[in-house]
Amino acid sequence: MQFPDALANDDVSLDIHRGEIFALVGENGAGKSTLMNILYGMCTPTGGEVIVKGKRVQRFSPADAIAAGIGMVHQHFMLVPSFTVAQNIVLNDEPRRHGLFYDFRAANATVERLVAEYGLRVNAEDKVQDISVGLQQRVEILKTLHRGADVLILDEPTAVLTPQETDELFDVIRRIVREKQMTVIIITHKLYEVMAISDRVGVMRAGKLVGVCETKDVNERILASMMVGKEVLLDALERIDDHDATPAIEVRDLHVADNRGLPAVRGLSLKVERGEILGIAGIEGNGQSELIEAITGMRPVDSGKVFIQGQDVTGKNPRQIRAAGLAHVPEDRLSTGVSAQASITENLLVGKEKDARFSIGKFHMKKQAVHAYAQEVFDRFDIRAASVDKAVGSLSGGNMQKVVVAREFSFDTPVLIISQPTRGVDIGAMDFIHKQIMDKRNQSCAILLVSADLDELYRLSDRMVTVYEGQITGEFIPSQIEKTELSYYMTGGRKEDANEKR
Amino acid sequence: MKSAERTRYLASLAISVLLALLVGALIMLATGHNPLEGYGALLAGAFGDERAIGNTLYKSAQLCITGLATAVASSSGIFNVGGEGQMFLGALASAWLGTLLKGSSPWIAVPACFLIAILAGAIYAWIPAVLKIKLKINEVITTILMNSIAIFFCTYMANGPLKTAERGVNQGTDALDKAFRFPRLIRSSNLTETIFWIAVISLFVWYLMSRTTTGFEMRLTGQNSRFARFAGLKAETLGILGMLISGAMCGALGMFETFGLQSRFKPDFSNEFYFDGMLVAMIMKYKPLGTILMSFFFGALKMGAVTMQSRTGISSELILIVQSIIIFFMAAEEGIMASIKARRTVRKAAMTLSKEVTG
């Protein structure tokens, strides 16, 4: 399978046996979900074959997958909120009376039969919008079972669950595998869950399957080191050491909720001094995005304080926080970092249009000056495009990111918040962006860096903290900690446990 | 729009227009008319004599100001379907004040009426804008519904409380002072002096949208409001500002109609003017300059259609068909270009992959 620019699955071969629980782990973007989407017929492989129950399948579609007994429960549920549990489960296969009228009673009976058979307790007549996420997930599972699936793919099933719901889910999985000889594939990046539930585990890294093991033969540390792999070698960056101890960013006991209103950041505190880069390492979805959004004013703060340059900016809007001396490279450039329809010039200008050099009386734009400025930045940041008038949406990921970095860095603020600066960016652009970040640090900016790429964090950070479920699990100096150990903290390990295991 | 993209867009627009006219010709043939005769009558109706040219110009100006009103609101992120209602309120408010100020100097009365017209339009547009931005209530629904409220309210006022006592006028307010009215530029045509004011307003809006920081920020907000907020722009204010300007323009047109053509507020003064202008703006993707230019084409089409019907018996509805076909083609254009692009990308990807495999 290939996305326009990247190979998501590179020559992967994998056998999964009937009646086993197979876990597929890997970092963000390692290709787990793509592999499973191929199996479920949602992506077409550009090469290779899929064999289900001895039969080779070509031109696979989700309908074929369902017919072959494969069911998939996605991270984002596909349910109709205003329908009842039973209506959702029988959707597209509704029982009818006289072949015409929807038979609600029969639908409820079907669901009750399923519930009794598999022991997944739900109330058939509840509306989906009124039940908890854990129950919604059960409805999704029942839906696939109703369609006769005996292979169940669960994509990050525990990401949305409370620990108790997770335990219940695992009980259910164990039961259906034991009693019904079902096959279950779980995609996850939580290593303790792999240990808790799976029979075998496959580890993916950069689109390749780097190993398949019996779970009983491995432990979390071995898995973590397989996930991380060895690094790409890049030249070391020049680091000038003269940071002063005044904290430019300070976060005190911050609590932030995610989009569903559940706690995402839970009592997190940190400080970044001028002239240093603090790296935040963590598996995606552990509160990093919410932390950054709260600091930069894109998300409300539940409690706690944020200071930028000593100024309390808690609960202020992005405009006010920028005025306090902050610039921000956001994690999702397309939705937040640029206007895709606007030109490179316009995207570079945003935020500076009212400067005296670009407009008269903050109103009439000086076309010439704006163009000259855009051209200068365009050249300096080596943005590759036909001209500065091109729409940013037509650029490659790397060049689009350079536009964002160029704009934000040229505000010359003392504080920079940088999220995923090189995601989906080719190695040349990555090296360029890294050098820009390091230059800023050497000019005594305080930089908070969030990245899913450990190599990047090691290369740039002066200090690193690991976060797990919205809390800091440890603080490290990059040269003093192995990646394997770091991944251990990223997946929920605590310092005390680590010492015991050793 | 970037130049290559603009060329491409203009080319597809030209092709769409030609094809639409061709389909129009086929329909004329099918209904037993001579297309040459039909289009000939249409041209004559639009440009045949002074009067025709006057009417065409005025229709174009109407389309232009309403089209720009749509464009301003849309480019800052809110789709204003309520221009008709805003126009009605502007018309009624100015007529009401105009009758109150009867006898005073036109140098005071006319600007005051203009002011109250744009205020009425802007305030009526502000309501759905705030509902959209603060409460996320869909503006298309609120503005459409608010059209009916405004039109019924104005109709009631013109038939009830504000009804003139003049004989022979069955609905409408008192006639406005002669000194307040905009004189006609060409006798017995619809062209009044208001066309100058419409031109001034249109130029101002074009300037605002394409040459000022405010227009720049409004456009960015419309394109990606999350980005605008992220970049520190006052996204909410800018969105509301777009609607205020749009509503004010519609209110102004209401006043121009009342003080120009009608000489009093009449509840039947508009034949859904706003929606015609809205279509022009949509075809031109809310670009100010394109909307201004396209208004002339549609203005000619609209005025010509009337003469075409009276001279050749071809129904003027044909022009609606032509118009719809252009819109249909232009909507399809985006899909067609996207599918060509996607096919190219896939081919490219397959080629790089096969290179990687063989190499």
Side-chain angles (χ1 to χ4, degrees), chain A residues 19-21 172-184 199:
Chain A
E20 75 171 342
I21 303 176
V172 165
I173 292 174
R174 286 196 198 97
R175 191 161 56 232
I176 58 178
V177 169
R178 196 174 56 232
E179 290 173 8
K180 304 286 171 190
Q181 278 297 296
M182 299 229 351
T183 309
V184 175
D199 300 317

Side-chain angles (χ1 to χ4, degrees), chain B residues 122-334:
Chain B
I123 291 169
Y124 206 56
W126 175 80
I127 300 168
V130 167
L131 289 177
K132 156 92 172 179
I133 283 172
K134 301 282 182 200
L135 301 173
K136 309 252 174 297
I137 297 175
N138 188 312
E139 78 275 24
V140 176
I141 293 166
T142 49
T143 49
I144 288 181
L145 293 176
M146 285 174 72
N147 273 342
S148 307
I149 298 175
I151 294 169
F152 284 128
F153 172 75
C154 293
T155 310
Y156 163 75
M157 292 307 275
N159 282 294
L162 296 181
K163 188 177 185 305
T164 178
E166 214 175 306
R167 280 158 164 260
V169 180
N170 45 21
Q171 52 177 7
T173 57
D174 283 335
L176 292 158
D177 223 323
K178 256 225 157 77
F180 295 175
R181 296 190 210 154
F182 297 99
R184 283 177 205 255
L185 290 177
I186 295 173
R187 248 161 55 101
S188 77
S189 86
N190 290 340
L191 192 67
T192 60
E193 255 178 23
T194 56
I195 192 164
F196 294 125
W197 298 110
I198 291 178
V200 168
I201 293 173
S202 301
L203 278 175
F204 171 74
V205 167
W206 165 80
Y207 167 75
L208 180 79
M209 290 314 288
S210 45
R211 291 282 185 274
T212 69
T213 55
T214 311
F216 171 66
E217 292 180 353
M218 280 165 72
R219 266 186 289 128
L220 288 174
T221 304
Q223 287 164 352
N224 183 348
S225 68
R226 184 176 163 84
F227 169 62
R229 196 161 77 86
F230 158 84
L233 306 183
K234 293 177 180 163
E236 296 192 343
T237 316
L238 290 164
I240 292 176
L241 180 64
M243 267 305 257
L244 288 181
I245 296 174
S246 178
M249 291 168 74
C250 294
L253 179 62
M255 184 236 176
F256 293 155
E257 289 292 321
T258 308
F259 283 60
L261 284 182
Q262 308 291 349
S263 77
R264 70 178 82 228
F265 174 79
K266 289 183 196 154
D268 59 355
F269 79 97
S270 165
N271 190 12
E272 308 213 314
F273 292 156
Y274 181 75
F275 295 98
D276 293 333
M278 200 170 86
L279 285 179
V280 175
M282 284 166 80
I283 292 173
M284 296 318 290
K285 293 191 172 176
Y286 312 120
K287 303 288 180 230
L289 200 59
T291 305
I292 294 174
L293 297 177
M294 200 60 176
S295 302
F296 288 100
F297 177 72
F298 276 103
L301 220 51
K302 282 233 164 261
M303 284 326 292
V306 181
T307 311
M308 181 179 78
Q309 178 162 15
S310 62
R311 279 205 202 156
T312 63
I314 301 168
S315 164
S316 66
E317 248 93 83
L318 182 85
I319 291 316
L320 285 181
I321 298 178
V322 171
Q323 201 174 319
S324 312
I325 291 169
I326 296 175
I327 293 164
F328 177 79
F329 279 150
M330 291 317 290
E333 185 251 9
E334 221 161 285

Side-chain angles (χ1 to χ4, degrees), chain A residues 2-4 7 46-47 293 297-299 318-319 322 328-330 334-343 346-347 349-351 353-354 358-359 362-365 367 389-391 394 404 407-408, chain B residues 1-5 204 207-217 219-235 238 287 341 345-346 348-354 356:
Chain A
Q2 202 183 23
F3 289 109
L7 220 50
T46 38
E293 286 178 1
M298 298 292 285
R299 180 181 286 277
R319 176 186 187 81
R322 279 177 178 271
H328 174 199
V329 176
L334 210 50
S335 78
T336 316
V338 297
S339 167
Q341 294 153 267
S343 67
E346 291 172 317
N347 272 286
L349 181 68
V350 183
E353 67 276 4
K354 287 185 177 164
F358 297 129
S359 60
K362 299 190 175 184
F363 190 67
H364 179 86
M365 290 225 273
K367 253 190 138 184
D389 295 327
K390 277 271 170 206
S394 68
V404 178
R407 181 187 61 236
E408 297 298 326
Chain B
M1 244 186 273
K2 315 307 153 264
S3 64
E5 202 185 321
F204 171 74
Y207 167 75
L208 180 79
M209 290 314 288
S210 45
R211 291 282 185 274
T212 69
T213 55
T214 311
F216 171 66
E217 292 180 353
R219 266 186 289 128
L220 288 174
T221 304
Q223 287 164 352
N224 183 348
S225 68
R226 184 176 163 84
F227 169 62
R229 196 161 77 86
F230 158 84
L233 306 183
K234 293 177 180 163
L238 290 164
K287 303 288 180 230
K341 221 178 189 178
T345 318
V346 169
K348 235 192 212 167
M351 272 167 66
T352 37
L353 184 71
S354 63
E356 268 170 38

Side-chain angles (χ1 to χ4, degrees), chain A residues 260-320:
Chain A
R260 290 164 295 147
L262 300 175
V265 177
R266 303 182 303 157
L268 189 147
S269 300
L270 56 80
K271 275 184 194 173
V272 190
E273 294 168 359
R274 300 198 60 182
E276 80 163 345
I277 299 177
L278 175 67
I280 295 185
I283 300 286
E284 212 157 312
N286 278 290
Q288 303 95 313
S289 309
E290 288 83 1
L291 169 69
I292 297 303
E293 286 178 1
I295 294 176
T296 56
M298 298 292 285
R299 180 181 286 277
V301 172
D302 282 351
S303 69
K305 289 271 175 213
V306 180
F307 297 89
I308 298 296
Q309 294 277 86
Q311 196 179 329
D312 184 354
V313 296
T314 319
K316 297 259 171 77
N317 67 33
R319 176 186 187 81
Q320 295 161 322

Side-chain angles (χ1 to χ4, degrees), chain A residues 64 73 117 130 224 254 256 263 271 276 288 380:
Chain A
D64 297 327
V73 175
E117 197 179 338
D130 300 330
L254 197 70
V256 184
K271 275 184 194 173
E276 80 163 345
Q288 303 95 313
R380 182 151 49 89

Side-chain angles (χ1 to χ4, degrees), chain A residues 118 164-178 197:
Chain A
Y118 292 97
Q164 205 205 330
E165 286 174 329
T166 305
D167 288 343
E168 287 172 10
L169 173 70
F170 284 0
D171 283 343
V172 165
I173 292 174
R174 286 196 198 97
R175 191 161 56 232
I176 58 178
V177 169
R178 196 174 56 232
I197 183 107

Side-chain angles (χ1 to χ4, degrees), chain A residues 32-214:
Chain A
K32 303 170 299 234
S33 295
T34 306
L35 183 60
M36 286 304 119
N37 280 336
I38 289 175
L39 190 53
Y40 191 57
M42 303 234 296
C43 296
T44 317
T46 38
E49 55 184 4
V50 180
I51 298 165
V52 181
K53 296 170 190 164
K55 253 191 282 176
R56 187 175 162 192
V57 282
Q58 278 171 321
R59 291 198 155 270
F60 220 37
S61 75
D64 297 327
I66 291 167
I70 299 175
M72 185 157 179
V73 175
H74 296 271
Q75 244 171 314
H76 304 284
F77 302 148
M78 306 190 175
L79 297 171
V80 186
S82 58
F83 279 17
T84 66
V85 166
Q87 286 170 329
N88 268 286
I89 290 173
V90 300
L91 194 67
N92 213 6
D93 181 28
E94 295 87 354
R96 289 175 196 282
R97 255 180 310 163
H98 316 301
L100 190 63
F101 302 106
Y102 195 129
D103 190 345
F104 291 103
R105 213 170 300 157
N108 289 348
T110 309
V111 172
E112 270 149 30
R113 207 170 48 246
L114 277 172
V115 169
E117 197 179 338
Y118 292 97
L120 284 148
R121 260 192 312 278
V122 289
N123 188 354
E125 290 176 47
D126 283 348
K127 281 193 176 168
V128 162
Q129 63 200 14
D130 300 330
I131 63 178
S132 70
V133 177
L135 284 175
Q136 291 183 12
Q137 187 176 52
R138 267 186 207 187
V139 175
E140 280 280 10
I141 295 174
L142 283 167
K143 204 164 86 181
T144 59
L145 294 175
H146 174 66
R147 288 171 177 172
D150 56 5
V151 178
L152 197 58
I153 306 172
L154 302 169
D155 189 0
E156 309 248 0
T158 60
V160 293
L161 300 184
T162 63
Q164 205 205 330
E165 286 174 329
T166 305
D167 288 343
E168 287 172 10
L169 173 70
F170 284 0
D171 283 343
V172 165
I173 292 174
R174 286 196 198 97
R175 191 161 56 232
I176 58 178
V177 169
R178 196 174 56 232
E179 290 173 8
K180 304 286 171 190
Q181 278 297 296
M182 299 229 351
T183 309
V184 175
I185 304 170
I186 291 187
I187 303 174
T188 181
H189 45 225
K190 294 182 184 167
L191 298 180
Y192 66 86
E193 291 180 1
V194 174
M195 301 308 294
I197 183 107
S198 69
D199 300 317
R200 287 197 308 147
V201 52
V203 182
M204 293 200 70
R205 187 198 329 132
K208 291 204 161 99
L209 192 65
V210 291
V212 176
C213 323
E214 298 280 331

